Amino acid sequence: MRRVKYLPTIVVSIIVVVFTFYNFTPFGWMVSTSFKSEKEAYRIPPTVFPQKPTTESYEQIIIWTNFPRYFFNSTVVSLGASLLSTIVGALAGYGFSRFIFRGRTFLIGAILASQMLPGVLLVGPYFKLLTRVALYNTYIGLILAFTTITLPFSTWMMKGFIDTVPRELDMAGLVDGCSYPKVFLNLVFPIITPGMVATIIFAFILAWGDLLWVLVLTSGEAMTTVTLGLSRLVTQFRIIWPQLMAGSVIGALPPVTLYLILQKNLVRGLTAGAVKE
Amino acid sequence: MWSKVYRRERRSTRFPFSIKYGDELRGYLFVLPCLLMLVIVLGFPVVTAVANSFTPLWSETKNFTLENYSGLLSDELFWNALSVTFIFVGGTVFFHLLLGMVLALTLNWMIKGRSWFQVIAILPWTVPDVVSGLVWRFMYNPTSGIINHILMSVGWTDRYIEWLANPSLALPSVIIADVWRGYPFVMIILLAGLQAIPEDYYEAAKVNGANVFQRFYYITIPCLARIIYIALALDTIWQMRRFGLIYNMSMGGPGHVTEILSLYIYKHYFKYFNFEYASALAVVMAIIMLAISYPYIRMIARRET
């Protein structure tokens, strides 16, 4: 009886240890390699930890490549797309949550279905469209493109959050003579701020990680983002792994940090639409 | 049935001075910016792509033709890409669900250290798939990668395994890398579902003498069925769209063994510039994805009204 009592604890501990190891190994390998010299990175057999840790890869990638520029571009584009889609998504979420109108079910279905469209279907015509309106290779063009990925999710997440705000609050506002925009801005908005932050982060992570759209809609170093820059480094004739891993660490830093700071919000936001009954 | 009651109740408690049609208009106004944007960034490209797919390849005239679609049927590489996609998506989704379920159950069980472990468990998912592709590519490196090194020190192999260059190992290797990246997302959704199951159910079952497995089979699984389905549907769609990971790990190679549909279509678009043919391929892919997700969309959209 005693053994059975402790069995779950033992099983849980084993699982925790195994998964922690599994999750951290690639991170560890990435960080470890980024601090190795090029010579050490190719040593056979490989060293697990850098024996002479050096920051030369970071220096090289920051000083000798356009990586800071890529980083800046990624930031601008991802922030733009996540802010835009969250604001627009919040408005739409409010509309879907509070009003009953004709075609509502259809529109909800359409927004859900729009997530299911593959990027490769959109990217070709979108490329032609952008070149025609002179938005090819611009921030605005990229931001609009990223909203195709982020907007449906943002709308859905914001609707989930707004659904949790009691309607009585709106009604109280209306009785006191607020208009609907005022109700939204002064009453609902403050309550859903954590939800909006979660949505912005989720959209940011999505936009930051995208490769396909940047690959197609930009050309030249000036508009390259982190993901595209890394992909270019790896298709070069000679791959310098420590540099590439240093770039990967830098590239992974913003989404990982944002997640670590605001992970409670994010988890709640992701599940708001899925689990609520 | 509940939704109907809910709706009626909502109508009746609506405020005296809000008129039905005025409200309807306001609803449209709130939703309008979102719809406009979706029409511009999604509607237009979709219509153009579909139109393109029915025009002849490399031609100035825009005559209607089905040749792209008939060509597709005899395109061996298309069928190859389709089967690679199904193996990739099937493999990754299966293992996402398996690992996600194990971890969600563990987290749900845990009392101490749960919040910490949850943070660790979700971490891989936040990394861009380009980055995880690169890291795994170097981990798979035959001579200086960590994976062969570990296998050799444990003594499971004594030769340098070419994970990504060996045609029969490349696809499983890519799948393993993606499992690491993708299972946390499924885990989050499943965990939320598990936490929504009332504790009383388990207590009642315990009192009646059900063991752990019986409780899992008769309570957890049925209560979780809908959530599992949602997680599966979402993950399948995400995995079909996956691009950056394989682009950076193998570029579809060696040969075409890891060439998933999105990569194959991309190549036709921007490497061979067969815009019309690529459009036809993409339309087929979109139809497959919409068909897979149709029950999901229907279920959610219905529940919301």
Side-chain angles (χ1 to χ4, degrees):
Chain A
M1 232 15 235
R2 234 189 138 67
R3 268 181 57 193
V4 174
K5 198 176 166 192
Y6 284 104
L7 191 66
T9 323
I10 295 166
V11 171
V12 166
S13 317
I14 291 172
I15 293 175
V16 168
V17 169
V18 168
F19 270 92
T20 307
F21 181 74
Y22 176 56
N23 279 2
F24 273 129
T25 305
F27 281 111
W29 185 241
M30 172 168 79
V31 174
S32 157
T33 308
S34 73
F35 284 110
K36 286 177 185 172
S37 64
E38 205 191 334
K39 231 172 103 188
E40 194 185 340
Y42 289 108
R43 192 176 293 171
I44 306 167
T47 51
V48 175
F49 297 106
Q51 298 193 320
K52 284 196 207 109
T54 159
T55 54
E56 63 180 29
S57 305
Y58 288 92
E59 286 160 26
Q60 279 163 359
I61 206 157
I62 289 170
I63 296 167
W64 298 113
T65 71
N66 286 326
F67 215 77
R69 174 83 200 178
Y70 305 165
F71 195 87
F72 176 74
N73 289 342
S74 277
T75 312
V76 169
V77 175
S78 312
L79 263 185
S82 51
L83 287 176
L84 181 67
S85 64
T86 305
I87 292 168
V88 174
L91 286 174
Y94 188 74
F96 281 127
S97 173
R98 292 298 195 258
F99 301 96
I100 292 172
F101 45 87
R102 250 162 264 165
R104 182 170 169 273
T105 315
F106 172 76
L107 289 178
I108 288 179
I111 284 178
L112 281 172
S114 63
Q115 304 171 14
M116 315 300 172
L117 293 168
V120 280
L121 175 75
L122 312 167
V123 86
Y126 201 80
F127 163 75
K128 281 185 176 168
L129 175 72
L130 282 194
T131 42
R132 208 172 299 156
V133 296
L135 281 175
Y136 174 74
N137 211 23
T138 61
Y139 285 133
I140 297 176
L142 263 189
I143 289 174
L144 285 177
F146 280 156
T147 49
T148 60
I149 317 172
T150 54
L151 185 55
F153 283 95
S154 304
T155 307
W156 195 241
M157 276 175 80
M158 287 317 300
K159 181 185 173 300
F161 279 117
I162 295 170
D163 280 342
T164 62
V165 180
R167 292 175 57 83
E168 284 70 22
L169 187 78
D170 299 36
M171 298 190 172
L174 290 174
V175 174
D176 290 344
C178 281
S179 59
Y180 267 106
K182 262 201 169 155
V183 167
F184 177 71
L185 274 178
N186 297 345
L187 295 175
V188 180
F189 187 80
I191 300 181
I192 54 166
T193 312
M196 280 190 99
V197 172
T199 313
I200 290 173
I201 294 168
F202 184 64
F204 186 91
I205 292 177
L206 277 185
W208 185 276
D210 177 79
L211 174 66
L212 178 66
W213 290 92
V214 205
L215 203 55
V216 175
L217 299 180
T218 65
S219 71
E221 289 283 290
M223 281 299 294
T224 302
T225 63
V226 168
T227 47
L228 182 56
L230 289 172
S231 308
R232 243 186 236 144
L233 279 177
V234 84
T235 40
Q236 276 172 355
F237 178 66
R238 195 168 75 104
I239 303 174
I240 307 165
W241 279 108
Q243 265 187 40
L244 206 52
M245 288 297 106
S248 298
V249 170
I250 300 172
L253 222 47
V256 169
T257 327
L258 276 179
Y259 158 71
L260 287 179
I261 298 172
L262 297 149
Q263 46 99 13
K264 282 242 167 68
N265 277 333
L266 185 68
V267 171
R268 225 171 28 148
L270 276 178
T271 49
V275 188
K276 158 205 68 171
E277 189 62 71
Chain B
M1 186 238 170
W2 278 109
S3 61
K4 264 187 191 152
V5 174
Y6 178 50
R7 193 190 295 175
R8 202 171 301 139
E9 181 219 25
R10 265 219 293 208
R11 285 234 166 96
S12 62
T13 52
R14 183 155 300 173
F15 246 70
F17 45 79
S18 68
I19 308 144
K20 193 189 163 218
Y21 288 101
D23 251 19
E24 199 163 355
L25 192 67
R26 286 196 190 96
Y28 285 126
L29 280 180
F30 272 106
V31 177
L32 193 66
C34 176
L35 291 183
L36 270 180
M37 279 190 69
L38 283 180
V39 167
I40 296 169
V41 296
L42 283 166
F44 175 79
V46 169
V47 172
T48 319
V50 173
N52 274 345
S53 73
F54 287 111
T55 48
L57 204 58
W58 299 99
S59 137
E60 285 300 309
T61 57
K62 295 266 173 194
N63 297 330
F64 178 84
T65 175
L66 283 172
E67 67 184 33
N68 293 317
Y69 288 96
S70 57
L72 178 154
L73 290 175
S74 54
D75 179 359
E76 267 177 38
L77 284 178
F78 163 69
W79 293 108
N80 169 67
L82 201 61
S83 70
V84 170
T85 306
F86 276 113
I87 297 170
F88 176 75
V89 174
T92 52
V93 169
F94 174 78
F95 284 107
H96 288 171
L97 188 67
L98 188 71
L99 295 191
M101 182 63 104
V102 169
L103 212 54
L105 285 171
T106 312
L107 275 164
N108 197 36
W109 251 345
M110 278 173 84
I111 302 155
K112 268 185 218 160
R114 172 150 105 195
S115 53
W116 275 105
F117 187 49
Q118 186 172 330
V119 172
I120 294 169
I122 298 172
L123 214 51
W125 176 76
T126 56
V127 174
D129 65 349
V130 168
V131 168
S132 52
L134 290 176
V135 174
W136 278 85
R137 180 162 163 181
F138 191 46
M139 285 168 65
Y140 279 131
N141 189 301
T143 51
S144 17
I146 186 90
I147 290 180
N148 276 349
H149 178 61
I150 292 176
L151 291 182
M152 280 172 163
S153 1
V154 178
W156 283 358
T157 177
D158 53 0
R159 55 197 182 86
Y160 295 109
I161 301 171
E162 296 267 1
W163 294 99
L164 291 170
N166 182 335
S168 52
L169 284 178
L171 189 53
S173 303
V174 171
I175 291 176
I176 291 172
D178 190 88
V179 168
W180 175 79
R181 189 207 58 76
Y183 82 86
F185 179 71
V186 178
M187 189 273 291
I188 302 170
I189 294 180
L190 291 180
L191 181 62
L194 281 175
Q195 285 170 346
I197 302 175
E199 197 58 38
D200 316 1
Y201 291 11
Y202 291 106
E203 292 300 329
K206 245 186 217 170
V207 169
N208 288 305
N211 64 30
V212 180
F213 300 103
Q214 286 169 327
R215 290 201 297 265
F216 180 73
Y217 188 78
Y218 289 110
I219 298 173
T220 312
I221 292 289
C223 286
L224 216 56
R226 216 189 84 243
I227 297 290
I228 293 177
Y229 174 69
I230 289 176
L232 276 179
L234 284 177
D235 198 37
T236 306
I237 295 305
W238 281 109
Q239 288 310 109
M240 286 202 69
R241 294 161 70 135
R242 190 123 329 271
F243 178 80
L245 183 102
I246 292 189
Y247 183 91
N248 274 301
M249 281 188 84
S250 63
M251 238 340 171
H256 297 276
V257 294
T258 58
E259 193 167 77
I260 52 170
L261 211 47
S262 57
L263 193 61
Y264 183 60
I265 297 171
Y266 169 80
K267 282 181 178 170
H268 263 293
Y269 255 128
F270 296 101
K271 227 171 137 190
Y272 319 130
F273 298 103
N274 300 329
F275 270 49
E276 291 78 11
Y277 185 59
S279 304
L281 288 169
V283 168
V284 171
M285 182 176 173
I287 291 172
I288 295 172
M289 286 171 70
L290 286 174
I292 292 174
S293 51
Y294 180 71
Y296 164 77
I297 295 169
R298 229 173 98 106
M299 181 177 104
I300 304 277
R302 278 232 176 124
R303 194 162 53 105
E304 288 304 325
T305 46

